């Protein structure tokens, strides 16, 4: 892996920012109206080397340090939270392929993931189960050289565009404890028995592709089993540290962006004959937000460094995920209030940010689950 040099990393960030200013910023509002980011943008990302930067060179990637991935996440979030589907592809789904895929699977799939020809998704959530993965009802029974997959998934990011979907399923529904029966199957576009449902309409993240998926006697080749049968739950637990760190990082960037635009607004907006930034209440509110954002960044930088080095920091990442997403929601509410009536208008960025930030405390494990993880690791409650 190529280690990040600060000057090179800064040039990389600036180059990517210019790419986004040309290829994403002018089109973002239209993507929001269309409720979808076009595949053509994914292809441009791939052609310019912005997809899956940490994938090894022999599979088409750059073999880059994870700090380059962090820079991509940050710059995309500054454009808009709807680009989260690309972050999910880069840093959440593809790492399952690199960590648990066979050499044949890597050769077959990773080059397309890097080029943008293959878009990925991971299907965990079901209509009857959210964070309770041990009780999923999607099943896969083996018949010779195929698994026959049956079930339904919902709230799946990249569900409409996805060409490869890692499906969390039960290959042994009778296993005790239940989580030992979970496996991961990679379902490819066009597999018989696989159908996409409707593109889901959400409160926010309008351009983020989110869908329902259906599997009816879906015949998946055994060679598409990811890792070992019955080990799926452990793979999920191993990868959730990075997923939750990505969410925490994105929430922090969103908070910083909301603060930045609001600071500019309160310096210019006048009321009662002077800028509203001169009122003590505004000053105190801005000072409090600035402090929380700065504290959050310091914590994040420590966790990013530990994660790069392979340190188990699940407890601290769980803390960061719940605290930073809740902090970002507070920032959104306070910034909208400081905008007054204009904050409720679509033409002001704070309106979109206010809508988009709410779900961050829900996905990648609700913040209540994060607190439960922290409590268990403190030696409290069941399973300590």
């Amino acid at each position: 892996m190529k280690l990040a040099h600060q000057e090179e990393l800064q040039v990389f960030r600036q180059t990517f920012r210019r790419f986004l200013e040309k290829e994403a910023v002018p089109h973002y509002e239209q993507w929001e109206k269309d409720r979808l980011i076009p595949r053509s943008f994914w292809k441009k990302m791939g052609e310019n080397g912005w997809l899956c930067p940490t994938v090894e060179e022999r599979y088409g990637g750059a073999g880059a340090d994870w700090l380059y991935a962090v820079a991509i996440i940050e710059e995309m979030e500054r454009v808009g939270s709807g680009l989260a589907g690309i972050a999910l592809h880069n840093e959440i789904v593809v790492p399952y392929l690199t960590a648990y895929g066979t050499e044949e699977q890597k050769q077959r799939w990773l080059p397309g993931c890097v080029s943008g020809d293959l878009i990925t998704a991971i299907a965990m959530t079901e209509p009857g189960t959210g964070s309770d993965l041990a009780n999923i009802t999607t099943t896969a029974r083996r018949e010779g050289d195929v698994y026959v997959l049956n079930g339904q998934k919902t709230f799946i990011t990249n569900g409409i565009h996805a060409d490869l979907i890692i499906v969390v399923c039960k290959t042994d529904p009778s296993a005790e404890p239940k989580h030992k029966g979970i496996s991961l199957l990679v379902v490819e576009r066009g597999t018989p028995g696989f159908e996409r449902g409707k593109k889901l309409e959400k409160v926010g993240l309008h351009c983020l592709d989110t869908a329902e998926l259906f599997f009816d006697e879906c015949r998946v080749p055994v060679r598409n089993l990811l890792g070992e049968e019955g080990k799926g739950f452990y793979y999920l637990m191993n990868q959730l540290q990075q997923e939750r760190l990505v969410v925490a990082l994105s929430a922090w960037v969103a908070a910083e962006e909301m603060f930045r635009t609001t600071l500019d607004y309160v310096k210019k907006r006048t009321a009662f004959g002077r800028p509203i930034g001169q009122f003590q209440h505004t000053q105190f509110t801005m000072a409090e937000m600035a402090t929380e954002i700065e504290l959050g960044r310091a914590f994040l930088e420590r966790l990013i460094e530990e994660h790069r080095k392979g340190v188990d920091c699940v407890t601290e990442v769980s803390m960061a995920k719940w605290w930073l997403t809740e902090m970002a929601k507070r920032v959104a509410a306070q910034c909208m209030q400081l905008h007054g009536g204009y904050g409720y208008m679509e033409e002001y960025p704070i309106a979109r940010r206010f809508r988009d930030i709410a779900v961050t405390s829900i996905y990648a494990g609700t913040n209540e689950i994060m607190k439960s993880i922290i409590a268990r690791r403190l030696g409290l409650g069941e399973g300590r």
Side-chain angles (χ1 to χ4, degrees):
M1 176 180 286
K2 296 176 182 176
L3 296 179
H5 187 280
Q6 285 303 315
E7 290 182 7
E8 292 177 358
L9 185 59
Q10 189 60 26
V11 170
F12 177 88
R13 182 187 293 274
Q14 291 170 353
T15 303
F16 183 50
R17 186 176 298 169
R18 287 195 295 270
F19 168 83
L20 291 175
E21 287 170 352
K22 178 184 177 183
E23 302 293 350
V25 173
H27 309 294
Y28 194 85
E29 289 305 321
Q30 188 60 50
W31 295 345
E32 286 276 284
K33 293 174 183 176
D34 294 341
R35 297 298 201 263
L36 195 66
I37 295 172
R39 286 189 72 107
S40 59
F41 180 71
W42 285 81
K43 280 294 294 178
K44 288 178 182 177
M45 287 281 292
E47 289 166 0
N48 286 275
W50 308 121
L51 293 179
C52 312
T54 61
V55 167
E56 294 178 58
E57 293 181 21
R58 58 182 168 146
Y59 305 119
D65 186 281
W66 199 62
L67 287 181
Y68 287 88
V70 168
I72 289 174
I73 294 165
E74 289 180 341
E75 294 306 318
M76 288 196 299
E77 180 61 43
R78 294 191 194 286
V79 175
S81 299
L83 291 171
I86 297 173
L88 178 129
H89 169 83
N90 282 0
E91 304 307 327
I92 295 173
V93 185
V94 170
Y96 280 91
L97 304 180
T98 59
Y100 309 114
T102 64
E103 182 61 26
E104 185 274 333
Q105 288 172 336
K106 292 177 183 179
Q107 294 281 359
R108 184 155 44 111
W109 292 325
L110 289 179
C113 294
V114 173
S115 69
D117 291 309
L118 296 178
I119 295 174
T120 64
I122 185 164
M124 300 187 202
T125 306
E126 298 179 357
T129 60
S131 299
D132 187 10
L133 290 175
N135 283 309
I136 60 169
T137 60
T138 297
T139 60
R141 68 179 188 275
R142 183 161 180 174
E143 292 185 357
D145 60 356
V146 299
Y147 285 100
V148 182
L149 185 66
N150 285 282
Q152 178 182 351
K153 299 292 184 177
T154 193
F155 310 144
I156 307 307
T157 300
N158 296 341
I160 295 296
H161 278 329
D163 305 290
L164 299 176
I165 301 166
I166 299 176
V167 180
V168 181
C169 59
K170 290 276 185 75
T171 47
D172 182 4
S174 62
E176 288 295 339
K178 294 178 181 180
H179 67 264
K180 289 190 174 181
I182 291 176
S183 300
L184 306 182
L185 290 180
V186 181
V187 177
E188 299 177 80
R189 175 184 289 275
T191 301
F194 164 48
E195 291 188 8
R196 302 169 205 268
K198 62 183 178 182
K199 181 158 61 68
L200 299 173
E201 294 295 323
K202 306 180 295 297
V203 171
L205 298 174
H206 289 162
C207 66
L208 180 65
D209 167 2
T210 312
E212 298 174 315
L213 306 176
F214 300 93
F215 307 95
D216 182 11
E217 294 292 289
C218 177
R219 300 180 69 80
V220 183
V222 168
R223 68 175 186 154
N224 282 20
L225 174 68
L226 194 61
E228 297 180 40
E229 191 174 290
K231 295 288 184 69
F233 188 82
Y234 302 102
Y235 300 153
L236 293 168
M237 294 304 102
N238 287 341
Q239 295 299 315
L240 280 171
Q241 174 169 300
Q242 179 156 307
E243 178 174 351
R244 289 163 179 166
L245 186 53
V246 168
V247 173
L249 175 63
S250 299
W252 179 85
V253 174
E256 187 184 56
E257 284 297 297
M258 289 184 282
F259 177 84
R260 182 184 59 78
T261 57
T262 303
L263 182 61
D264 183 62
Y265 180 81
V266 299
K267 288 178 178 179
K268 296 176 180 177
R269 173 72 168 142
T270 59
F272 304 102
R274 54 177 171 156
I276 62 174
Q278 292 184 9
F279 291 100
Q280 188 180 66
H281 169 76
T282 303
Q283 293 173 350
F284 283 8
T285 300
M286 296 299 291
E288 290 166 3
M289 288 192 289
T291 302
E292 288 195 318
I293 291 168
E294 189 65 26
L295 289 170
R297 181 65 195 187
F299 190 31
L300 266 178
E301 287 180 346
R302 179 191 130 195
L303 294 182
I304 288 167
E305 187 60 25
E306 289 184 1
H307 181 68
R308 281 178 70 222
K309 294 177 178 178
V311 175
D312 179 340
C313 49
V314 168
T315 304
E316 292 81 3
V317 166
S318 300
M319 292 173 177
K321 194 274 179 182
W322 86 255
W323 190 83
L324 283 164
T325 57
E326 294 295 342
M327 181 270 286
K329 286 164 64 177
R330 290 194 301 273
V331 168
Q334 291 168 327
C335 288
M336 177 176 273
Q337 186 72 20
L338 289 172
H339 276 77
Y342 290 105
Y344 206 62
M345 299 295 109
E346 288 290 336
E347 64 188 279
Y348 282 79
I350 189 60
R352 170 164 53 82
R353 291 284 185 181
F354 181 84
R355 290 195 310 271
D356 290 350
I357 202 65
V359 75
T360 59
S361 63
I362 298 173
Y363 59 34
T366 66
N367 284 356
E368 290 74 23
I369 293 292
M370 297 303 101
K371 293 174 187 178
S372 294
I373 292 169
I374 297 163
R376 283 200 304 272
R377 292 207 160 209
L378 292 174
L380 303 172
E382 296 180 3
R384 61 182 183 274

